[in-house]
Amino acid sequence: MSNFPHISEANAGAILTIDLDAIVANYRMLVDRTPEASVAAVVKADAYGLGVDRIAPALAGAGCRVFFVAHIEEGIHLRHVLNDTGVSDFVNAEIHILGGLMAGTEEAYDASRLMPVLGSLDEIHNWKDYCRKIERPLACDIHVDTGMLRLGLPPKELDKLVEEPARLDGMNIVNVMSHLACADEPGHPKNAEQLEAFRIARILLPQGQASFANSAGIFLGADYHFDLVRPGLALYGGSAVPEMPNAMAQVVKLQGKIVQVRDVDTPQTVGYGASHRVEGPGRIATVPVGYADGFLRSLGNKTTGHIGNIPVPVVGRVSMDLITLDVSAVPKHQCSVGDLVDLIGPANSIERVAEAAGTINYEILTSLGHRFHRVYVGAG
Ligand SMILES: *Cc1c(COP(=O)(O)O)cnc(C)c1O
């Protein structure tokens, strides 16, 4: 999981800086935007690749008491992380597992005080059985599918549950939840359809709290907030609604170290496939960050780093461990071996990099590799 070995600054080919103050500021901003709801934090996939060990305690310090992860193993790990803080409020935080209940894992849920998000009658049956066996009403959520066709009770199973309410006996339902498919497109008609379906589901299943909105859902307005919102991306500085200006503080900076600078006097090609030709005179800098580090191969000849304010385009293909940048425009004294190139930063937001790569900001974050020197700045 997040326990990659620590790589020193001297030994690393790149430095990944993660701003915990920015994450906390983003959490507080979402709290302010949702006055009627409480705000959980989605920290699945090692907090979107940024490191749950540091981020979860920082969020707990900002008042977050409800966490969501995808897998039970992520939940077990997070429980250890929160226990290790020794702060009783943090130790007792709720940890919900979005991926649902795999048969045979009930005891492991119980042992780490994890709450499964139950998404089928079979899962509900197994949880009920386990609660009866141990004679304790364990906490859980019920997930209702309102249009993802992925997880959650399909309409027929919801009807059956309403006809036979005893299926829910002996368990403690904390949240009834659903998930939006198109919240990043505010004008999409599916948003209102899902909202209507969720309201009906709430009439049928009024237990516990209602939880509906992810990051983008929060920006759809108060109708979508209900009792508990579940942002992930926005906490990490991601723009949740591409057509709106990004309201979140930037969290991530990636700087690669120049390991070679080559002068080009006569026309030459760079890298695999000879996909870029340097006419010269000019200079090419090599930086040890490649697709094995999550600098996606589709960025070859597509993105631009910065040295100070000067753009330095990535030229040629991205290799497994290396990229090459055209630094001809940078004064020599600003780009020699050991100098840093901003690959993700103020001028290269994760959104810009994602667009250049033909993907989304989520994938840029979660791909960030484990060979960087990681620096956490701010709270925590
Ligand atoms: C990942 C996830 C979230 C968080 O989504 P963001 O778009 O990152 O805010 C919320 N709810 C569910 C069910 C998820 O799977």
Side-chain angles (χ1 to χ4, degrees):
M1 295 217 352
S2 58
N3 292 327
F4 43 82
H6 180 73
I7 298 176
S8 72
E9 184 165 355
N11 290 353
I15 298 158
L16 180 68
T17 306
I18 295 153
D19 186 343
L20 296 172
D21 282 344
I23 294 176
V24 164
N26 288 335
Y27 181 78
R28 296 210 164 109
M29 191 271 228
L30 296 175
V31 168
D32 288 344
R33 276 196 92 110
T34 55
E36 313 292 322
S38 35
V39 182
V42 179
V43 294
K44 61 195 180 190
D46 196 24
Y48 289 44
L50 302 185
V52 73
D53 295 20
R54 297 297 298 272
I55 290 171
L59 286 166
C64 182
R65 295 291 176 268
V66 182
F67 294 91
F68 284 83
V69 293
H71 292 282
I72 181 170
E73 279 297 334
E74 295 179 321
I76 293 169
H77 178 76
L78 177 56
R79 182 58 78 202
H80 284 297
V81 168
L82 293 172
N83 281 348
D84 287 347
T85 64
V87 181
S88 63
D89 271 5
F90 300 3
V91 167
N92 292 320
E94 294 176 11
I95 303 176
H96 303 251
I97 314 292
L98 291 164
L101 182 69
M102 284 191 283
T105 59
E106 294 83 2
E107 244 180 278
Y109 271 89
D110 189 16
S112 293
R113 292 177 289 128
L114 307 175
M115 303 183 189
V117 176
L118 304 173
S120 71
L121 290 180
D122 284 344
E123 290 181 9
I124 290 170
H125 174 83
N126 290 343
W127 196 243
K128 182 183 168 178
D129 255 13
Y130 184 75
C131 291
R132 189 168 44 205
K133 195 176 106 192
I134 62 162
E135 297 179 338
R136 274 188 295 133
L138 293 180
C140 63
D141 301 324
I142 305 290
H143 188 171
V144 179
D145 183 15
T146 55
M148 280 289 272
L149 208 66
R150 197 177 70 164
L151 295 174
L153 293 168
K156 275 197 180 134
E157 294 201 356
L158 177 58
D159 289 346
K160 195 150 187 201
L161 192 57
V162 173
E163 283 162 24
E164 302 167 18
R167 287 171 177 271
L168 295 172
D169 283 353
M171 63 183 83
N172 167 22
I173 298 171
V174 178
N175 297 296
V176 172
M177 59 163 271
S178 194
H179 191 47
L180 286 155
C182 304
D184 58 334
E185 296 174 59
H188 201 294
K190 182 131 192 162
N191 294 320
E193 287 166 27
Q194 285 194 266
L195 178 60
E196 187 54 24
F198 187 58
R199 284 185 170 143
I200 292 168
R202 267 313 266 172
I203 295 168
L204 299 174
L205 282 185
Q207 298 91 328
Q209 305 184 110
S211 178
F212 194 43
N214 64 342
S215 300
I218 292 172
F219 294 93
L220 291 177
D223 283 354
Y224 288 78
H225 294 170
F226 293 91
D227 302 313
L228 178 75
V229 294
R230 307 186 306 271
L233 181 74
L235 296 173
Y236 312 113
S239 170
V241 185
E243 67 195 51
M244 283 166 47
N246 190 2
M248 311 317 295
Q250 292 308 290
V251 169
V252 176
K253 187 165 72 175
L254 177 64
Q255 299 166 292
K257 239 185 237 177
I258 296 174
V259 290
Q260 269 208 27
V261 183
R262 297 278 289 272
D263 289 313
V264 182
D265 300 321
T266 54
Q268 287 185 53
T269 63
V270 188
Y272 288 121
S275 70
H276 179 82
R277 187 178 163 88
V278 191
E279 295 303 332
R283 275 171 298 129
I284 298 294
T286 301
V287 168
V289 171
Y291 59 76
D293 303 298
F295 201 85
L296 304 180
R297 190 169 175 277
S298 51
L299 289 168
N301 291 311
K302 286 285 197 311
T303 188
T304 295
H306 285 78
I307 295 178
N309 293 324
I310 307 172
V312 289
V314 170
V315 291
R317 289 195 185 151
V318 175
S319 313
M320 186 184 295
D321 314 301
L322 299 166
I323 47 174
T324 37
L325 303 107
D326 187 330
V327 295
S328 308
V330 186
K332 270 193 169 157
H333 68 273
Q334 273 181 272
C335 75
S336 36
V337 170
D339 286 339
L340 297 176
V341 181
D342 290 341
L343 299 172
I344 298 174
N348 319 302
S349 63
I350 52 173
E351 287 73 30
R352 278 190 71 153
V353 175
E355 200 186 337
T359 183
I360 53 173
N361 44 10
Y362 294 80
E363 194 179 21
I364 298 299
L365 286 179
T366 56
S367 299
L368 290 169
H370 291 170
R371 300 193 295 184
F372 307 135
H373 172 63
R374 290 188 173 218
V375 186
Y376 290 90
V377 296

